């Protein structure tokens, strides 16, 4: 077969695509990482949170989160002395640039960092019609962005409002608990930069993890326990007004 | 035997062909790793894990910057990871010579944590920067890695207030 200019023009891109595919291969988990030997969670110590927004900024930088969307965010609660049942909650820009001084400094004021609770019985994974979101054997709720249709069922199903549709990829997105970091032995980006240790990654299957001692000696709570989602982000020192 | 056996046989052939087509199509359409761990694509776990990191982690920083580690040990900022202030520097850790960290503006950076706010824990050191420094860079007086100002009885002599004001006259 003669290679004419026309044939060459057809062949070259095809060869390029094929070569790219060969080079890319399929990614594999690091050999030392065993999925069944971990059960990841996070511990949030509310009395330590200073609302600096470092976690929100780090998360956006680590995971390329688009502006105006948050995989983690900080809420500031203001509970007036006379209206305990109606807390005022604000989260300007997700707390990314910190918080302006309170208008009404009275009452009870505190910060609550939020993120995906990586529920063991998560509603979001149960409603996915195609199996694009799932709980991994090591207890992290992930989204398979190559399989997601962008149907938004999971966004509605999450009782914690942790999911959004990424405007670039048009697929569901959420906190991955920095899955690409934790299986390399690193902590999550938010826990890495938290200056006060208010956020701590924990592995419940690791008997040496300090979380076990902490859980034994403190009264911890999860968000919306009545939803029975099996939420795994534990909050210490959480006020009853937190939603 | 039925009198219309031939019809049934034809129907059976059609069903077998349809079944065969279904099995072939299904094998072609369903990803290979689907169902490996559950009702999802098992390969998606490794794909998520393959994403490159942006924050190197403080262990990577401390391997080279031992002088800063020693300095931090003398102050309360010892618990703060390097990249909490300096930003994501995995690229710098991979190639320290060509990628250098950006210079930081302490007037903004320190205030993010230490600006007074009634929602912050009471024991946390807070200042109203407008009263405390008037907006000048915090590292004019404080050394960020060891923020407590050294008194003259210590090894380092601190600048007097007049000296600081003279130094920062043009910056205000």
């Amino acid at each position: 077969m003669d290679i004419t200019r026309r044939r060459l023009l057809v062949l070259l891109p095809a060869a390029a695509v094929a070569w790219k595919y060969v080079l890319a291969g399929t990614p594999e988990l690091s050999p030392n990482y065993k999925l069944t030997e971990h059960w990841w969670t996070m511990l949030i110590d509310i009395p330590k949170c200073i609302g600096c927004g470092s976690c929100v900024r780090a998360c956006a930088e680590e995971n390329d989160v688009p502006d105006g969307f948050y995989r983690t965010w900080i809420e500031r609660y203001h509970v007036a002395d006379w209206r305990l049942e109606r807390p005022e909650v604000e989260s300007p820009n997700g707390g990314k640039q910190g918080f302006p001084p309170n208008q009404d400094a009275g009452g009870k004021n505190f910060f609550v960092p939020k993120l995906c609770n990586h529920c063991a019985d998560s509603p979001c994974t149960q409603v996915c019609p195609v199996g694009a979101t799932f709980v991994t054997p090591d207890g992290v709720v992930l989204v398979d962005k190559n399989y997601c249709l962008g149907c938004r069922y999971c966004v509605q199903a999450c009782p914690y409002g942790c999911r959004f549709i990424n405007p670039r990829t048009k697929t569901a997105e959420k906190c991955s608990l920095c899955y690409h970091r934790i299986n390399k032995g690193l902590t999550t980006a938010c826990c890495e930069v938290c200056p006060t240790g208010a956020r701590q990654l924990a592995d419940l299957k690791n008997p040496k993890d300090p979380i076990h001692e902490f859980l034994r000696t403190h009264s911890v709570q999860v968000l919306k326990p009545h939803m029975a989602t099996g939420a795994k982000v534990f909050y210490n020192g959480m006020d009853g007004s937190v939603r | 035997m039925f009198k219309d056996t031939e019809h049934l046989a034809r129907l059976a052939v059609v069903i077998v062909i349809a079944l065969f087509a279904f099995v072939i199509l299904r094998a072609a359409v369903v990803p290979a790793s689907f169902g490996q761990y559950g009702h999802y694509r098992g390969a998606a776990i490794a794909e998520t894990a393959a994403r490159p990191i942006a924050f190197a982690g403080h262990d990577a920083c401390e391997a080279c910057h031992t002088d800063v580690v020693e300095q931090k040990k003398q102050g309360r900022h010892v618990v703060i990871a390097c990249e909490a202030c300096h930003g994501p520097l995995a690229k710098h850790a991979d190639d320290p010579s060509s990628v250098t960290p950006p210079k930081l503006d302490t007037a903004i950076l320190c205030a993010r944590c230490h600006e007074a706010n009634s929602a912050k824990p009471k024991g946390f050191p807070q200042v109203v920067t407008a009263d405390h420094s008037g907006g000048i860079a915090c590292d004019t007086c404080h050394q960020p890695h060891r923020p407590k100002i050294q008194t003259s009885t210590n090894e380092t002599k601190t600048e007097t207030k007049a000296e600081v004001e003279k130094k920062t006259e043009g910056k205000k």
Side-chain angles (χ1 to χ4, degrees):
Chain A
M1 188 178 80
D2 292 336
I3 299 286
T4 61
R5 190 183 298 177
R6 180 184 294 252
R7 280 191 184 134
L8 189 72
L9 281 174
V10 173
L11 277 173
L12 274 181
V17 170
W19 181 238
K20 196 182 165 199
Y21 189 77
V22 168
L23 280 185
T26 39
E28 279 177 15
L29 281 171
S30 50
N32 299 326
Y33 187 83
K34 299 271 184 300
L35 283 169
T36 48
E37 288 176 3
H38 305 273
W39 193 247
W40 295 108
T41 67
M42 199 179 279
L43 182 67
I44 293 185
D45 207 347
I46 290 179
K48 282 187 181 172
C49 181
I50 57 169
C52 62
S54 295
C55 48
V56 187
R57 290 190 298 277
C59 177
E61 280 158 344
E62 179 73 41
N63 297 298
D64 197 18
V65 182
D67 275 344
F69 296 88
Y70 308 95
R71 287 184 175 200
T72 183
W73 67 99
I74 309 171
E75 293 173 356
R76 179 166 65 184
Y77 275 71
H78 168 65
V79 189
D81 292 336
W82 57 283
R83 289 210 83 178
L84 293 155
E85 78 288 1
R86 289 271 190 279
E88 284 170 29
V89 188
E90 58 178 335
S91 185
N93 202 9
K96 203 173 186 177
Q97 307 303 332
F99 288 79
N102 280 21
Q103 294 295 321
D104 176 9
K108 187 155 49 173
N109 302 286
F110 53 90
F111 297 107
V112 182
K114 290 200 174 167
L115 70 156
C116 169
N117 289 272
H118 294 281
C119 307
D121 307 309
S122 59
C124 57
T125 61
Q126 291 170 42
V127 298
C128 180
V130 295
T133 183
F134 47 88
V135 188
T136 62
D138 45 356
V140 181
V141 178
L142 292 180
V143 180
D144 180 355
K145 70 172 191 292
N146 297 326
Y147 218 58
C148 174
L149 302 169
C151 74
R152 296 163 164 80
Y153 273 126
C154 57
V155 180
Q156 295 186 50
C158 176
Y160 306 102
C162 295
R163 286 174 170 253
F164 58 90
I165 297 289
N166 185 319
R168 286 196 295 260
T169 60
K170 308 274 192 282
T171 56
E173 200 175 304
K174 61 178 279 299
C175 161
S176 63
L177 208 67
C178 282
Y179 200 75
H180 58 297
R181 297 177 61 85
I182 61 178
N183 70 60
K184 292 183 184 83
L186 296 163
T187 186
T188 64
C190 57
C191 293
E192 172 71 27
V193 302
C194 180
T196 60
R199 307 172 72 120
Q200 273 161 41
L201 178 77
D203 181 2
L204 287 180
K205 278 195 185 172
N206 177 5
K208 289 181 188 151
D209 197 301
I211 191 175
H212 299 296
E213 179 63 18
F214 192 93
L215 293 178
R216 275 196 291 268
T217 52
H218 292 75
S219 300
V220 297
Q221 179 62 285
V222 295
L223 292 173
K224 300 187 185 179
H226 59 282
M227 302 292 289
T229 57
K232 289 208 275 56
V233 173
F234 299 108
Y235 285 84
N236 179 48
M238 185 163 75
D239 190 74
S241 59
V242 175
R243 301 288 180 260
Chain B
M1 279 302 272
F2 304 110
K3 62 176 181 177
D4 294 325
T5 324
E6 200 186 332
H7 292 268
L8 288 174
R10 276 187 200 160
L11 196 62
V13 167
V14 169
I15 289 173
V16 165
I17 289 172
L19 202 69
F20 195 67
F22 171 76
V23 169
I24 299 273
L25 259 174
R26 192 182 181 279
V29 173
V30 176
S33 64
F34 202 93
Q36 189 183 353
Y37 304 107
H39 188 72
Y40 58 91
R41 220 163 50 90
I45 296 182
E47 282 171 25
T48 311
R51 197 190 154 80
I53 58 167
F55 286 82
H58 57 99
D59 289 336
C61 312
E62 287 164 6
C64 299
H65 299 279
T66 46
D67 53 328
V68 182
V69 177
E70 287 307 312
Q71 211 174 18
K72 277 173 75 183
K73 273 184 189 160
Q74 298 166 29
R76 293 181 74 182
H77 279 177
V78 64
V79 292
I80 303 175
C82 313
E83 287 161 308
C85 300
H86 291 279
L89 288 170
K91 285 190 182 125
H92 168 70
D94 287 342
D95 187 2
S97 53
S98 62
V99 185
T100 47
K103 279 268 173 275
L104 304 169
D105 183 356
T106 52
I108 296 166
L109 191 76
C110 304
R112 277 184 179 148
C113 290
H114 293 289
E115 186 73 62
N117 193 312
S118 58
K120 286 182 182 175
K122 296 290 163 283
F124 185 77
Q126 302 165 51
V127 293
V128 177
T129 44
D131 302 342
H132 180 80
S133 66
I136 61 165
C138 308
D139 62 354
T140 316
C141 305
H142 298 273
Q143 157 47 258
H145 292 142
R146 187 185 55 178
K148 195 177 168 74
I149 292 178
Q150 304 296 302
T151 54
S152 49
T153 48
N154 288 15
E155 73 276 14
T156 346
K157 186 191 170 293
T158 180
E159 292 168 293
T160 62
K161 199 163 184 235
E163 281 169 337
V164 171
E165 274 168 5
K166 198 178 169 192
K167 206 165 137 188
T168 56
E169 239 166 34
K171 292 185 194 169
K172 272 195 186 176

